[in-house]
Amino acid sequence: MVRILPMAASSSLHLSSLLHYSSPSDPIQRPPHPLSPPSRHRRIKTSKSTRMEGYNITACTGNMAQASTAVTEENALEWVKKDNRRMLHVVYRVGDLDKTIKFYTECLGMKLLRKRDIPEERYTNAFLGYGPEDSHFVVELTYNYGVDKYDIGAGFGHFGVAVEDVYKTVDLIKAKGGTVTREPGPVKGGKTVIAFIEDPDGYKFELLERGPTPEPLCQVMLRVGDLDRSIEFYEKAFGMELLRKRDNPDYKYTIAMMGYGPEDKNAVLELTYNYDVKEYDKGNAYAQIAIGTDDVYKTAEAIKLHGGKITREPGPLPGISTKIAACVDPDGWKTVFVDNIDFVKELE
């Protein structure tokens, strides 16, 4: 739902200036991937006038709708916990949209929910997932005309997909020419069968063997520099719950699962801390997660109170009525909050 511009952006102040671009020539310090082998293993659609950056723009000037009752530091956490929030979609760039759609539908079993081409802006969007956008977490792919390669960076980790048979899924992926980076087998120290694959752009997917689940697209893994700080931020500012935390001293990393409900029924955010690594290059491929909220104004105030940086003050997007607010977490990962009722209207 949010348009992402190609790397060749103008030098003037533009929505694309908010996106993290790094020079292709910049060296990338890549710490070990803790999940790579052998370590371990309401109705909400975007109108055609909503550009991909629509949910990723910086603090704007001009008229804004009047904010609802301000939250205080004392009641912010209580309100955040009561807010009706859900992870809506994750946005990232790809170099060959048709190739990626083919891989996701044939190998991962996703459905192409909708596709939108905006030739005057030179980009195309595709929304894919395992069910309707009003009830499922989906991926939003962006293809910018003429840009066939992006730097994924060292900070983004992987997406997680729950499947009923990891071995059969991997066999299918191999038959379709996909790349398997970790063969199927039990996770180190556990019983869950997993495998790791890469899509045509090099994004990693962890396949997790589970029974039937309402949310097969189940994880987004990001690396952070201070896990306790991130957990506190996502709990207090985003209203997420710490579902579990696990330290692996043998491989020098700790993970925390954060979300709005149990892992077997909801998409979750997997935060990974690699010992002694405080910062990561984020590249220019991964963009952000969008989350639904009942009140973008209160959401923005709560984020400010708990140390987040607002990059787009709450209010309606130019040209349409959808209200959004955008922010970055302490590590600079972007999130956009979208008004639930407005999102429903867009999908209609």
Side-chain angles (χ1 to χ4, degrees):
M1 304 200 132
V2 192
R3 186 196 165 210
I4 303 170
L5 289 181
M7 291 186 291
S10 67
S11 59
S12 60
L13 181 60
H14 192 276
L15 299 179
S16 62
S17 66
L18 302 170
L19 297 173
H20 179 86
Y21 291 131
S22 55
S23 169
S25 62
D26 290 344
I28 302 174
Q29 300 299 322
R30 300 181 184 272
H33 190 303
L35 298 179
S36 296
S39 60
R40 88 114 157 126
H41 289 156
R42 296 168 217 225
R43 295 187 187 268
I44 309 175
K45 173 181 178 180
T46 307
S47 67
K48 293 184 178 180
S49 61
T50 305
R51 306 190 324 174
M52 264 300 281
E53 277 109 333
Y55 291 170
N56 194 39
I57 53 182
T58 192
C60 63
T61 59
N63 294 329
M64 283 176 44
Q66 184 176 359
S68 56
T69 304
V71 291
T72 65
E73 191 165 2
E74 290 73 22
N75 65 23
L77 182 57
E78 180 182 357
W79 178 82
V80 165
K81 289 293 185 181
K82 293 179 179 178
D83 190 19
N84 187 22
R85 296 187 177 183
R86 179 176 72 85
M87 291 170 59
L88 305 178
H89 58 265
V90 59
V91 187
Y92 52 104
R93 306 170 181 87
V94 298
D96 186 328
L97 190 58
D98 290 338
K99 185 176 182 180
T100 303
I101 291 172
K102 181 179 176 66
F103 182 84
Y104 286 11
T105 54
E106 294 185 358
C107 296
L108 296 178
M110 292 186 187
K111 298 177 181 178
L112 176 61
L113 303 173
R114 59 190 172 102
K115 187 176 179 182
R116 176 183 62 191
D117 184 45
I118 311 295
E120 62 272 19
E121 298 288 347
R122 299 180 57 78
Y123 76 91
T124 306
N125 297 144
F127 296 79
L128 296 97
Y130 295 98
E133 292 174 65
D134 61 0
S135 58
H136 288 73
F137 185 58
V138 307
V139 299
E140 179 181 348
L141 307 177
T142 296
Y143 169 69
N144 292 294
Y145 291 10
V147 183
D148 60 5
K149 187 174 180 60
Y150 295 96
D151 174 19
I152 294 177
F156 172 79
H158 65 261
F159 304 109
V161 173
V163 299
E164 294 190 38
D165 191 320
V166 168
Y167 292 93
K168 288 184 178 179
T169 303
V170 167
D171 287 343
L172 174 62
I173 290 169
K174 287 181 177 179
K176 296 290 185 178
T179 301
V180 177
T181 59
R182 197 273 198 191
E183 292 291 337
V187 64
K188 295 289 185 180
K191 298 181 180 180
T192 303
V193 176
I194 67 167
F196 273 90
I197 66 166
E198 290 185 358
D199 77 356
D201 289 273
Y203 291 102
K204 292 181 174 62
F205 282 77
E206 181 181 16
L207 306 179
L208 303 102
E209 192 160 282
R210 292 181 183 172
T213 173
E215 194 68 280
L217 182 60
C218 57
Q219 293 178 1
V220 177
M221 193 276 260
L222 303 174
R223 298 183 176 91
V224 298
D226 184 328
L227 189 58
D228 290 336
R229 178 186 66 182
S230 294
I231 291 171
E232 182 178 15
F233 176 81
Y234 281 98
E235 284 181 326
K236 293 183 176 180
F238 280 28
M240 289 185 176
E241 178 186 355
L242 174 60
L243 303 171
R244 62 184 172 96
K245 183 178 179 182
R246 181 166 63 84
D247 183 42
N248 193 327
D250 292 339
Y251 295 100
K252 300 182 183 299
Y253 73 89
T254 308
I255 65 169
M257 296 294 192
M258 311 289 300
Y260 295 110
E263 289 180 63
D264 60 342
K265 294 181 174 63
N266 299 273
V268 300
L269 186 60
E270 178 179 347
L271 304 177
T272 296
Y273 168 68
N274 291 293
Y275 291 8
D276 301 322
V277 182
K278 302 299 183 183
E279 295 182 0
Y280 296 94
D281 168 59
K282 295 179 177 60
N284 60 6
Y286 173 86
Q288 67 213 11
I289 289 174
I291 296 175
T293 176
D294 289 336
D295 192 321
V296 297
Y297 301 99
K298 287 183 178 180
T299 291
E301 292 178 43
I303 289 169
K304 292 176 184 177
L305 285 171
H306 295 296
K309 180 181 178 182
I310 300 298
T311 56
R312 200 279 187 188
E313 292 292 340
L317 290 168
I320 63 174
S321 61
T322 300
K323 295 180 290 295
I324 66 122
C327 70
V328 292
D329 75 358
D331 289 274
W333 293 112
K334 300 179 179 70
T335 301
V336 174
F337 284 87
V338 187
D339 181 272
N340 286 325
I341 294 177
D342 292 346
F343 194 37
V344 168
K345 292 178 181 177
E346 287 190 27
L347 284 178
E348 293 172 351

